[in-house]
Amino acid sequence: MKKYIFSLFLFISFTAQAHNVGSVYGLVYDAKSKMPLIGVNIQLKGSLIGTSSDINGKFELKNIQTGKYELAFYYAGYQTISNNITVTENSTDTLMVLLNESAIDLEELTVQGTRPISAASSKEIRAIDMQLKPFRTSQDMLLMAPGLFIAQHQGGGKAEQIFLRGFDCDHGTDVSINVDGMPVNMPTHAHGQGYADLHFLISETVEEMDVNKGPYLANIGDFYTAGAVNFKTKDFLENNLIKIEAGQFNTQKYTFMFQPENGGVQQNGYIAMQYHHSDGPFLSPEKYERMNIFGKYFFQLTPNSKLTMSAGGFSTGWNASGQLPDRAIKQGIISRFGGIDNLEGGVTNRKNINVYYNFLTGSGGVFEINSYFTQYNFKLYSNFTYLLNDSVNGDMIEQNEHRSIQGINSNYKFSTSWLGLHQLNKIGGGYRGDQIDVQLWHSPNRIRMNNFTSDIVDEQNLNVWFQQEFVFSPLLRMVWGLRHDFFTFSKDDKAGSTLDSINNGMPHATGVSHQSVFSPKLNFIISPIKNLDVFLNFGQGFHSNDARDVILGTRVKELSAAWRNEGMSDSQIDSRLNNYNLEPDMKNIGTLPKATAGEIGIKTRLFSKLHVALSGWYLFLDKEFVYVGDGGVTELSNPTQRLGIDAEARLSILSWLWADLDVSAAKGNILNLPAGQNYIPLAPTLTASGGISVVRAKGFSGSVRFRHLSDRPANEDNSIVATGHTLLNASLIYNYKQFSFAVNAENLLNSEWNEAQFATETRLKGETSSVTDLCYTPGNPRNFQFSVSYKF
């Protein structure tokens, strides 16, 4: 990896010497209101070179080869225009572009294909959020997704727990997350299915963030149930950057980003590095340390083709005070920021290589392909139950894994016309392979005592998909698609055999399995009047299950069939399966649970100042057996249903003053259980966030923001409640020439609040029996962080 990064940037240093180049700078406004237009697509016609306008309507194309070009401006609901420009050496042309509202041009709409297909997938609103909402980490960026909340409960180094649309998505089970086409979610992870650790992403390198709620797109596969979040990193930097941050809890963060002076839209490379340390508010310091490096280089092979390469990695280590029983704090056994087992914590690291190629055909089609490789390591020490299972040594577990991932994604987008109907067609496919060595140990005081599970897993996922958009008229579009995913699983159990007469009390199985799933999609977009879209959405998605769960289920079915052929009765079969610690019901339940969802929504833009989106939705999730990584066993999860309402608004009060508000309400229940005992544990019922932001290129900028999460059930009968919270945060920035000075205040009201919360059965020292109560990680008290940035 180190040799690759060195060679990559050595290549940059010798090749990024652009000659005979100039630049184009400009502003795009609404011709009538003179308000800046955000997210206008700007492209040199006949090439892949392009950009988009920012929150001030500004755009810039750096270091273009000298010559004559046609620069096109595309924006839904506005007339497409083209300007002829001449780029001369070492010059910067400045353009003032005014766009007039107009009826939608069917051909341009089909060719561009940029309009959203659901109320929660507006790129325009996400572009506003990228510049309004402050974020200091890649995890903070997830909070920009309306209705999405996160929580940390094992020190700063673990992936955050994610909540969205009535789902406790654990660490990513029901939210698909990708960076530059590279998957973040990890199946068959030591800690939890779909574990999505974004700590390898340096937030300052992110250019775009797409949010798609509900399973309505064909190009997204595994873990796409509640929604998907996709990040795109920058191709070039606006400025080189040195940034120093410091604050309470011994927090320090240093960021360095640099690109060659002559980098531009036809080739460029940059490198970014970051170091982060924090002890947190706990009496036993977290000693969280993380180091990141990321490099990216692209060049135009021809005016119609582009090759992009990136490489990076991160490593982090931390301690943790864990999840604290509420009774231990109330009884004065520990303080709110104390701990019971302060040896919790871990280390993790990830290295990535990603290569991306895209090509613009002569007929206007676009072919894209990306290939990636990842190496990943993870070791986590946790003690959720303290002395419940081992009253002498304690219950600390060690989750350990080593993983390599390789994959490829490709798609081709092209437009056609049939019987007078304009169509935008997308066809694609992909492959992902994971090779995993995953283990679970009983490791009191971080000393290995017993091996619960040890598995070598090979998991493969191949997919093909097709999506087609019909543009019947400016009033009506239809987008339909179909996806097919095929999985193969192979597991070699190193800790025991299924039929061992004596084992460690865990289910064991070695074997293979294969499964497939089809996911249909259907969407209608109706535009009855200008600047109003009505969306009708239907789709099916899925999340895969842990390969260990899949192989156990396959073994149960195989043994059941074999014993039935030997003449055993169903009760005899079930009894024998129980003797081998296997769940008899697994023979009747699949392991690729489907999510079926429907939605109706509206999106409008009023007076070029107010953006509003509103949607009502429903989602059903199949029954499944879930593999519990903390225990090495499977648990039955009954089918669930959820319905809710999402609303979001963005208001430009003045050109430099913005207000935003997101509200999400959801109600869910577990099916096949009695009323009052069918609550979905930890599922959010009401979330809200919003704020006022001042955005200026010079002088003072800042924001005041709130975040609210209501009380919610922590268990099925709601006898234990996960307490809600409302936080008030603020930021103030002063820009002076090349310097930026900032102060960020978290939890201004100094509220006592909880991050991750669970109803957990625990036993503490001196207790003769176990107690099930609320266990939680306390959230940060009021604190201030300061930063100084130098751009050059």
Side-chain angles (χ1 to χ4, degrees), residues 154-270:
Q154 199 67 23
K158 266 180 59 178
E160 274 68 16
Q161 191 177 4
I162 301 173
F163 304 93
L164 179 67
R165 280 202 164 180
F167 276 87
D168 168 14
C169 304
D170 197 28
H171 297 283
T173 308
D174 292 290
V175 177
S176 171
I177 301 177
N178 290 268
V179 175
D180 291 336
M182 180 174 58
V184 179
N185 303 78
M186 294 192 177
T188 314
H189 189 273
H191 189 64
Q193 178 70 350
Y195 187 89
D197 187 351
L198 266 173
H199 288 98
F200 70 89
L201 180 63
I202 300 174
S203 60
E204 287 83 356
T205 65
V206 175
E207 181 177 46
E208 294 178 5
M209 171 180 164
D210 290 339
V211 177
N212 294 282
K213 295 183 184 179
Y216 308 125
L217 294 173
N219 63 309
I220 308 175
D222 202 1
F223 310 112
Y224 184 36
T225 50
V229 181
N230 300 309
F231 295 97
K232 180 183 180 297
T233 59
K234 298 175 180 178
D235 280 346
F236 54 89
L237 310 175
E238 293 184 4
N239 303 99
N240 298 325
L241 174 69
I242 297 175
K243 187 176 182 180
I244 300 173
E245 300 173 75
Q248 291 174 257
F249 316 138
N250 194 23
T251 299
Q252 307 163 50
K253 187 159 68 169
Y254 309 96
T255 305
F256 172 77
M257 300 174 67
F258 175 79
Q259 69 183 2
E261 182 179 355
N262 291 326
V265 296
Q266 290 172 315
Q267 70 167 346
N268 189 54
Y270 66 86

Side-chain angles (χ1 to χ4, degrees), residues 398-411:
E398 173 192 342
Q399 294 166 311
N400 190 30
E401 81 163 60
H402 308 283
R403 177 189 301 254
S404 63
I405 310 170
Q406 60 283 329
I408 187 170
N409 296 304
S410 64
N411 70 86

Side-chain angles (χ1 to χ4, degrees), residues 636-651:
L636 176 65
S637 177
N638 280 305
T640 57
Q641 65 177 2
R642 297 164 173 85
L643 69 161
I645 297 174
D646 292 345
E648 54 186 285
R650 306 292 182 269
L651 174 63

